[in-house]
Amino acid sequence: MNSAFNRRGFLKQGSIAALATALGTNIVFADRMPEGYVPLFLDENDALKGKSPEMIVQGDKPWNVESPVHLLDDKVTPVEKMFIRNNGLVPEKIDASSWTLTIDGESVKTTKTYTLADLKKRFKTHTYQLVLECGGNGRSGFQPQASGNQWGQGAVHCAEWTGVRLKDILADAGIKDDAVYIGYHGKDLHLSKDPKKEAISRGVPMAKALEDETLLAWQLNGKDLPEFHGYPLRLVIGGWPASVSGKWISRISVRNKVHDGAKMEGHSYKMPKSPVAPGEDVPQTDEYFKIIESMPVKSLITYPKSGAMIATDAELSLRGHAWAGDHSIKKMEVSIDFGATWKECKLESPANRLAWQQWSAKLKFPSKGYYEVWAKATDDKGNAQPMVTPTWNPGGYLNNACERIAVKVG
Ligand SMILES: Nc1nc2c(c(=O)[nH]1)N[C@H]1C(S)=C(S)[C@@H](COP(=O)(O)O)O[C@H]1N2
Ligand SMILES: [Mo]
């Protein structure tokens, strides 16, 4: 709730408005609420404690919470504005002092177990800003509806993560020559509460696992990880579907084959190798589907909010972020004429590899009326965002269509 309060602990004006929207009515006497007081209807919502009142709840069993795009305006996403995606149930009893990480698998030389204290003491600590975007971000844009959470475009964040490099730990345990993949195991419970089942257990090829930016992190934006984001230890792998960034990590297996954990099967986090028509029955095998790796080029308009109104002759300042999986952004453009012409934006370089980049533009409109501003990013390989929703796919993944906002002039 931090963001909702001002320095003196009073609800901020903007937050009161947001609360009223969430409630569907205004809070009479909002100005008399005691310092730091959290209205009951928010307090009852345990999972949302520490989250902004404007977050969109996609579901509560398990908890899936999305950030409206305009809340993602910060360069480094604050915790209260980060989306939450849980496939299972948050582990019930977490004791960081007895938490351990085990490195095992067919392709590890020595199975080793580390306490959190060992990790902090024995390995060098690194901090990176990393984009974690759900593979299904934007799914609601697909017609007909693809199954899964109907995310808008807010299942993405770029926060600052602190921890140790996975490659340093793997070097300590030793990896055999036949290692091809890592697979993570977290302590969250399967929705059935069957302890033999895992909610999710995914992984990446060795090359991605061994990148400098692949961390086992215990800090998010300079503080202990919040429970919902994987306290006390999580894997963070920027640029790939965020499902590979395992939360509540207790074990990492070095595999001599592609990891075969939960949500590595069927068409989970996979794209068809050639287009599949809605309703078409395609075998869910490697012959037809491939695992999603680097995420596609994409951008957000985080300011202003869609529906902005400005005076004729006024200049509109726009801004947002752009990212492109393992790649960087080379060019950012906006259009006010439905993509007929484009204007190049100012583009910042990323804080580090795999962090998103900030863009900004100033626009003037030729006359009064309704406009749409479209934003398009191009990556360093020359791949640009499509102006319309890309090819439909059974999992509803990778919708990187241009973002658009409505603007009324005059
Ligand atoms: N153990 C575990 N790790 C997990 C998940 C999960 O359900 N359990 N969800 C994954 C998915 S699908 C996403 S998109 C990200 C979301 O990270 P966040 O909740 O910190 O935003 O976590 C990933 N790691
Ligand atoms: Mo996800």
Side-chain angles (χ1 to χ4, degrees), residues 17 22 49 71 97-98 130 148 184 193 232 263 320 326 330 341 368 371:
K49 258 186 207 150
L71 281 195
S97 65
S98 61
L130 300 169
Y184 70 71
K193 298 202 178 166
K263 308 264 165 155
D326 286 337
K330 191 182 63 188
T341 61
K368 69 174 203 181
Y371 292 85

Side-chain angles (χ1 to χ4, degrees), residues 2 20 35-36 57 72 81 127 140-141 144 173-174 176 204-205 207 227 281 313 317 353 356:
N2 298 343
E35 232 179 89
V57 178
L72 293 173
K81 297 170 180 174
T127 297
S140 63
K176 294 185 190 162
V204 293
E227 242 174 73
D281 196 15
D313 294 336
S317 291
R353 189 176 164 255
W356 61 19

